[in-house]
Amino acid sequence: MKIAFFDAKEYDKREFDKQNKGWEIEYYETKLRPQTAHLAHGCEAVCAFVNDRIDGDTIAVLKKEGVKLLAMRCAGYNNVDLAAAKEARIKVVRVPAYSPHAVAEHAMAMLLTLNRKIHRAYIRTRDFNFSLSGLEGFVLHGKTAGVIGTGKIGGAFVDICQGFGMKMLCYDPYPTGGYRYVPLPQLFEESDVISLHCPLTPETRHIVNERSIRKMKKGAFLINTSRGGLIESEALLSGLAGGKLGGACLDVYEEEANYFYEDNSQQGMADEKLALLISRPNVILTSHQAYFTREALSEIAAATLENIRLFFEEKRTPNEVSCAK
Ligand code: NAI
């Protein structure tokens, strides 16, 4: 049984090879897209990640090559055309939870860094510049955090904020109880810090846009560790430039698939919006690394290999996203 593994990095190989009990895995550094899907020739399963482009064209090639299973080694599957997969009788499985605490902790790490200007202080003191000018932050205790999406990661982030003594406001169309839910406009209006933890769907695309930013408190901080498409980048840039937003902590970006996870240092940055965001002192941007912990890598490999095993043993997996009929 062969598996074609796309967008493979050294740390993926290490963890999958450690846990693999007999599948033949062909690792490809390239991302999965229509032009590379033929590499899956002779493989019944394909393993893909967040920035692979698994649209109708890619799926058509995978089908032609005989692929039966698409094993996403991530939680989100917004980059998969599920209808096309169903049509092609390719099952899609995913890893619904791999250390939600890893992502929630990264969100708080970015907030603390940006608010207390640690990123700037670190550079200054390395140059023996011990001036505090421009490094003033604010106390989180007593401030209001708004959490959009109170699933596994959002819930873990609420717990962390409460540990800091923050007041919480939450929004989720499917409330789970235990949190203080308010309508979305109220969350935008009353929060000092807003953190996005909902999936990217047609309803949530650009949930943060020019209109919602206008509702926000002056100086509000925005955190996005979920998916780049939740924020309209131009509206974010104007909100930051006009001083309406105090800062943004971004682990994801709308057009990240072209850049993230690769070393672009020699080419410069062709995406002007990304370059502008990175150049702002009140923006911290990480390269979709919120999950990137030993625990999450291990859980991703274990769950993905288990999903594949269950599929080939013709057992139902609870982690199926769509069912080929
Ligand atoms: P989850 O499924 O446990 O929670 C998502 C929550 O969002 C659910 O409570 C759901 O009801 C809510 N939701 C759905 N539609 C909504 C809407 N229109 N407005 C507000 N809330 C809505 O998912 P989990 O595990 O908490 O992950 C959340 C997201 O985090 C994933 O969809 C993924 O995009 C992102 N993620 C990012 C990672 C990173 O490394 N940066 C790693 C893992 C996940």
Side-chain angles (χ1 to χ4, degrees):
M1 205 67 67
K2 278 206 305 189
I3 303 163
F5 193 110
F6 286 87
D7 201 7
K9 299 282 186 270
E10 124 312 290
Y11 44 82
D12 295 317
K13 287 188 209 163
R14 191 185 62 221
E15 203 51 53
F16 273 80
D17 284 347
K18 194 161 95 192
Q19 297 194 35
N20 179 20
K21 298 215 174 64
W23 308 117
E24 190 182 329
I25 306 181
E26 289 181 351
Y27 292 103
Y28 296 107
E29 284 179 19
T30 181
K31 289 192 175 61
L32 176 56
R33 50 181 199 271
Q35 298 81 355
T36 61
H38 66 275
L39 292 168
H41 180 73
C43 298
E44 281 170 77
V46 154
C47 184
F49 199 44
V50 290
N51 286 326
D52 290 306
R53 194 179 118 202
I54 311 154
D55 56 13
D57 293 342
T58 299
I59 285 170
V61 181
L62 294 179
K63 182 183 177 192
K64 201 168 117 242
E65 300 298 352
V67 171
K68 304 275 186 302
L69 177 72
L70 171 63
M72 299 301 293
R73 53 181 193 281
C74 53
Y77 48 88
N78 51 286
N79 53 335
V80 182
D81 184 335
L82 291 178
K86 186 171 176 180
E87 180 73 33
R89 302 169 87 86
I90 294 177
K91 269 193 192 178
V92 183
V93 289
R94 66 172 181 141
V95 184
Y98 45 92
S99 190
H101 301 287
V103 182
E105 287 174 15
H106 189 79
M108 181 49 91
M110 285 202 293
L111 172 60
L112 289 172
T113 304
L114 188 64
N115 173 29
R116 304 306 297 270
K117 320 280 194 292
I118 307 295
H119 55 310
R120 300 180 65 193
Y122 173 79
I123 290 167
R124 274 191 202 181
T125 55
R126 288 177 71 84
D127 201 25
F128 308 122
N129 174 356
F130 301 115
S131 154
L132 293 185
S133 274
L135 299 188
E136 192 180 302
F138 62 87
V139 169
L140 292 178
H141 189 272
K143 297 291 186 306
T144 300
V147 172
I148 299 179
T150 53
K152 292 173 284 296
I153 297 171
F157 187 71
V158 170
D159 290 345
I160 293 173
C161 291
Q162 283 175 333
F164 275 80
M166 300 186 80
K167 294 179 209 145
M168 303 307 301
L169 296 178
C170 297
Y171 171 77
D172 194 312
Y174 311 99
T176 48
Y179 302 116
R180 184 171 169 222
Y181 289 101
V182 294
L184 192 55
Q186 185 182 346
L187 184 148
F188 285 136
E189 283 159 19
E190 297 181 12
S191 302
D192 299 293
V193 171
I194 296 167
S195 197
L196 305 176
H197 298 290
C198 54
L200 177 61
T201 64
E203 294 79 53
T204 61
R205 180 173 293 279
H206 291 177
I207 198 168
V208 173
N209 53 39
E210 199 251 317
R211 259 195 358 260
S212 48
I213 291 176
R214 216 179 312 131
K215 288 195 177 76
M216 291 177 196
K217 276 186 173 179
K218 188 168 163 51
F221 272 42
L222 189 60
I223 309 169
N224 188 7
T225 55
S226 215
R227 284 293 181 268
L230 297 176
I231 299 182
E232 192 185 355
S233 304
E234 283 185 15
L236 172 64
L237 276 165
S238 323
L240 289 162
K244 177 77 181 186
L245 288 172
C249 307
L250 309 172
D251 186 51
V252 286
Y253 170 66
E254 225 174 344
E255 305 297 331
E256 69 177 51
N258 297 331
Y259 305 103
F260 282 19
Y261 298 137
E262 306 302 332
D263 179 357
N264 293 278
S265 56
Q266 301 305 312
Q267 297 95 305
M269 180 41 63
D271 184 320
E272 286 182 9
K273 279 182 268 180
L274 182 55
L276 276 172
L277 282 169
I278 290 170
S279 71
R280 297 201 64 88
N282 58 348
V283 171
I284 292 204
L285 187 134
T286 49
S287 170
H288 208 135
Q289 76 170 71
Y291 78 99
F292 197 54
T293 55
R294 348 181 238 281
E295 290 82 357
L297 287 173
S298 168
E299 284 161 33
I300 286 170
T304 303
L305 290 166
E306 178 65 3
N307 283 342
I308 293 171
R309 185 185 70 79
L310 289 172
F311 175 80
F312 286 121
E313 289 180 3
E314 294 183 9
K315 294 185 180 140
R316 275 196 75 80
T317 157
N319 299 332
E320 195 173 317
V321 182
S322 78
C323 187
K325 293 229 171 83

